[in-house]
PDB file of all heavy atoms in Angstrom:
ATOM      1  N   ILE T 296      -8.796  -6.512   1.439  1.00 96.00           N
ATOM      2  CA  ILE T 296      -8.054  -7.628   2.027  1.00 96.00           C
ATOM      3  C   ILE T 296      -7.359  -7.191   3.326  1.00 96.00           C
ATOM      4  O   ILE T 296      -7.280  -7.949   4.292  1.00 96.00           O
ATOM      5  CB  ILE T 296      -7.052  -8.211   0.994  1.00 96.00           C
ATOM      6  CG1 ILE T 296      -6.616  -9.610   1.396  1.00 96.00           C
ATOM      7  CG2 ILE T 296      -5.838  -7.344   0.775  1.00 96.00           C
ATOM      8  CD1 ILE T 296      -7.579 -10.667   1.002  1.00 96.00           C
ATOM      9  N   LYS T 299      -9.909  -6.994   6.124  1.00 96.00           N
ATOM     10  CA  LYS T 299     -10.250  -8.347   6.585  1.00 96.00           C
ATOM     11  C   LYS T 299      -9.137  -8.912   7.482  1.00 96.00           C
ATOM     12  O   LYS T 299      -9.412  -9.458   8.560  1.00 96.00           O
ATOM     13  CB  LYS T 299     -10.436  -9.216   5.332  1.00 96.00           C
ATOM     14  CG  LYS T 299     -11.205 -10.457   5.546  1.00 96.00           C
ATOM     15  CD  LYS T 299     -12.601 -10.360   4.978  1.00 96.00           C
ATOM     16  CE  LYS T 299     -13.281 -11.702   5.061  1.00 96.00           C
ATOM     17  NZ  LYS T 299     -14.695 -11.660   4.786  1.00 96.00           N
ATOM     18  N   SER T 366       1.923   0.904   4.139  1.00 96.00           N
ATOM     19  CA  SER T 366       3.109   0.334   3.477  1.00 96.00           C
ATOM     20  C   SER T 366       4.206   1.388   3.274  1.00 96.00           C
ATOM     21  O   SER T 366       5.323   1.042   2.912  1.00 96.00           O
ATOM     22  CB  SER T 366       2.722  -0.238   2.114  1.00 96.00           C
ATOM     23  OG  SER T 366       2.304   0.796   1.252  1.00 96.00           O
ATOM     24  N   GLY T 368       7.217   3.415   3.633  1.00 92.00           N
ATOM     25  CA  GLY T 368       8.399   3.293   4.484  1.00 92.00           C
ATOM     26  C   GLY T 368       9.230   4.560   4.535  1.00 92.00           C
ATOM     27  O   GLY T 368      10.253   4.597   5.215  1.00 92.00           O
ATOM     28  N   GLN T 369       8.810   5.579   3.806  1.00 91.00           N
ATOM     29  CA  GLN T 369       9.629   6.796   3.726  1.00 91.00           C
ATOM     30  C   GLN T 369       9.635   7.526   5.068  1.00 91.00           C
ATOM     31  O   GLN T 369       8.585   7.765   5.666  1.00 91.00           O
ATOM     32  CB  GLN T 369       9.056   7.716   2.640  1.00 91.00           C
ATOM     33  CG  GLN T 369      10.001   8.801   2.224  1.00 91.00           C
ATOM     34  CD  GLN T 369       9.326   9.886   1.391  1.00 91.00           C
ATOM     35  OE1 GLN T 369       8.116   9.882   1.209  1.00 91.00           O
ATOM     36  NE2 GLN T 369      10.106  10.822   0.913  1.00 91.00           N
ATOM     37  N   ASP T 375       5.720  13.035   9.133  1.00 94.00           N
ATOM     38  CA  ASP T 375       4.487  13.804   8.861  1.00 94.00           C
ATOM     39  C   ASP T 375       3.297  13.211   9.621  1.00 94.00           C
ATOM     40  O   ASP T 375       2.462  13.940  10.155  1.00 94.00           O
ATOM     41  CB  ASP T 375       4.180  13.827   7.359  1.00 94.00           C
ATOM     42  CG  ASP T 375       5.116  14.757   6.594  1.00 94.00           C
ATOM     43  OD1 ASP T 375       5.920  15.461   7.236  1.00 94.00           O
ATOM     44  OD2 ASP T 375       5.042  14.774   5.349  1.00 94.00           O
ATOM     45  N   ARG T 390       2.545  -7.964  11.261  1.00 94.00           N
ATOM     46  CA  ARG T 390       2.357  -9.206  12.029  1.00 94.00           C
ATOM     47  C   ARG T 390       1.549  -8.870  13.278  1.00 94.00           C
ATOM     48  O   ARG T 390       1.600  -7.751  13.769  1.00 94.00           O
ATOM     49  CB  ARG T 390       3.711  -9.764  12.469  1.00 94.00           C
ATOM     50  CG  ARG T 390       4.657 -10.078  11.346  1.00 94.00           C
ATOM     51  CD  ARG T 390       4.623 -11.556  11.022  1.00 94.00           C
ATOM     52  NE  ARG T 390       5.495 -11.857   9.918  1.00 94.00           N
ATOM     53  CZ  ARG T 390       5.105 -11.859   8.629  1.00 94.00           C
ATOM     54  NH1 ARG T 390       3.862 -11.593   8.305  1.00 94.00           N
ATOM     55  NH2 ARG T 390       5.946 -12.154   7.666  1.00 94.00           N
TER      56      ARG T 390
ATOM     57  N   GLU B 276       6.161 -13.512   2.464  1.00 96.00           N
ATOM     58  CA  GLU B 276       4.718 -13.488   2.707  1.00 96.00           C
ATOM     59  C   GLU B 276       3.981 -14.657   2.056  1.00 96.00           C
ATOM     60  O   GLU B 276       2.920 -15.050   2.511  1.00 96.00           O
ATOM     61  CB  GLU B 276       4.115 -12.175   2.185  1.00 96.00           C
ATOM     62  CG  GLU B 276       4.527 -10.970   2.984  1.00 96.00           C
ATOM     63  CD  GLU B 276       4.129 -11.074   4.457  1.00 96.00           C
ATOM     64  OE1 GLU B 276       2.934 -11.275   4.750  1.00 96.00           O
ATOM     65  OE2 GLU B 276       5.022 -10.958   5.308  1.00 96.00           O
ATOM     66  N   ASP B 334     -13.050 -15.982   5.342  1.00 91.00           N
ATOM     67  CA  ASP B 334     -14.329 -16.291   4.688  1.00 91.00           C
ATOM     68  C   ASP B 334     -14.500 -15.366   3.491  1.00 91.00           C
ATOM     69  O   ASP B 334     -14.620 -14.155   3.661  1.00 91.00           O
ATOM     70  CB  ASP B 334     -15.496 -16.063   5.652  1.00 91.00           C
ATOM     71  CG  ASP B 334     -15.472 -17.060   6.787  1.00 91.00           C
ATOM     72  OD1 ASP B 334     -15.017 -18.188   6.551  1.00 91.00           O
ATOM     73  OD2 ASP B 334     -15.896 -16.696   7.901  1.00 91.00           O
ATOM     74  N   ASN B 353       0.879  -2.172  -3.818  1.00 97.00           N
ATOM     75  CA  ASN B 353       0.867  -1.097  -2.817  1.00 97.00           C
ATOM     76  C   ASN B 353       1.936  -1.338  -1.740  1.00 97.00           C
ATOM     77  O   ASN B 353       2.666  -0.418  -1.351  1.00 97.00           O
ATOM     78  CB  ASN B 353      -0.533  -1.034  -2.196  1.00 97.00           C
ATOM     79  CG  ASN B 353      -0.640   0.027  -1.139  1.00 97.00           C
ATOM     80  OD1 ASN B 353      -0.381   1.191  -1.396  1.00 97.00           O
ATOM     81  ND2 ASN B 353      -0.998  -0.364   0.069  1.00 97.00           N
ATOM     82  N   GLY B 357       5.198   0.877  -1.679  1.00 96.00           N
ATOM     83  CA  GLY B 357       5.217   1.664  -0.439  1.00 96.00           C
ATOM     84  C   GLY B 357       6.486   1.431   0.349  1.00 96.00           C
ATOM     85  O   GLY B 357       7.152   2.364   0.799  1.00 96.00           O
ATOM     86  N   ASN B 358       6.863   0.154   0.492  1.00 96.00           N
ATOM     87  CA  ASN B 358       8.113  -0.172   1.201  1.00 96.00           C
ATOM     88  C   ASN B 358       9.327   0.388   0.464  1.00 96.00           C
ATOM     89  O   ASN B 358      10.307   0.819   1.074  1.00 96.00           O
ATOM     90  CB  ASN B 358       8.274  -1.697   1.348  1.00 96.00           C
ATOM     91  CG  ASN B 358       7.317  -2.324   2.358  1.00 96.00           C
ATOM     92  OD1 ASN B 358       7.324  -3.518   2.555  1.00 96.00           O
ATOM     93  ND2 ASN B 358       6.473  -1.549   3.012  1.00 96.00           N
ATOM     94  N   GLN B 368      11.773  15.402   0.557  1.00 81.00           N
ATOM     95  CA  GLN B 368      10.777  15.453  -0.507  1.00 81.00           C
ATOM     96  C   GLN B 368       9.830  14.267  -0.341  1.00 81.00           C
ATOM     97  O   GLN B 368      10.270  13.110  -0.368  1.00 81.00           O
ATOM     98  CB  GLN B 368      11.460  15.402  -1.872  1.00 81.00           C
ATOM     99  CG  GLN B 368      10.660  16.099  -2.930  1.00 81.00           C
ATOM    100  CD  GLN B 368      11.429  16.203  -4.224  1.00 81.00           C
ATOM    101  OE1 GLN B 368      12.593  15.838  -4.310  1.00 81.00           O
ATOM    102  NE2 GLN B 368      10.775  16.693  -5.256  1.00 81.00           N
ATOM    103  N   ARG B 369       8.552  14.556  -0.164  1.00 84.00           N
ATOM    104  CA  ARG B 369       7.580  13.504   0.057  1.00 84.00           C
ATOM    105  C   ARG B 369       7.359  12.725  -1.241  1.00 84.00           C
ATOM    106  O   ARG B 369       7.155  13.319  -2.292  1.00 84.00           O
ATOM    107  CB  ARG B 369       6.264  14.126   0.496  1.00 84.00           C
ATOM    108  CG  ARG B 369       5.355  13.178   1.248  1.00 84.00           C
ATOM    109  CD  ARG B 369       3.976  13.765   1.340  1.00 84.00           C
ATOM    110  NE  ARG B 369       3.660  14.225   2.674  1.00 84.00           N
ATOM    111  CZ  ARG B 369       2.420  14.274   3.134  1.00 84.00           C
ATOM    112  NH1 ARG B 369       1.396  13.925   2.385  1.00 84.00           N
ATOM    113  NH2 ARG B 369       2.185  14.705   4.346  1.00 84.00           N
ATOM    114  N   ILE B 370       7.413  11.399  -1.169  1.00 90.00           N
ATOM    115  CA  ILE B 370       7.108  10.568  -2.339  1.00 90.00           C
ATOM    116  C   ILE B 370       5.689  10.054  -2.167  1.00 90.00           C
ATOM    117  O   ILE B 370       5.430   9.174  -1.350  1.00 90.00           O
ATOM    118  CB  ILE B 370       8.104   9.396  -2.472  1.00 90.00           C
ATOM    119  CG1 ILE B 370       9.529   9.935  -2.624  1.00 90.00           C
ATOM    120  CG2 ILE B 370       7.737   8.515  -3.655  1.00 90.00           C
ATOM    121  CD1 ILE B 370      10.601   8.885  -2.526  1.00 90.00           C
TER     122      ILE B 370
END
Side-chain angles (χ1 to χ4, degrees):
Chain T
I296 199 82
K299 200 106 173 169
S366 65
Q369 195 193 6
D375 286 354
R390 301 261 178 269
Chain B
E276 291 301 304
D334 293 328
N353 179 57
N358 288 179
Q368 208 172 355
R369 202 194 253 208
I370 300 170

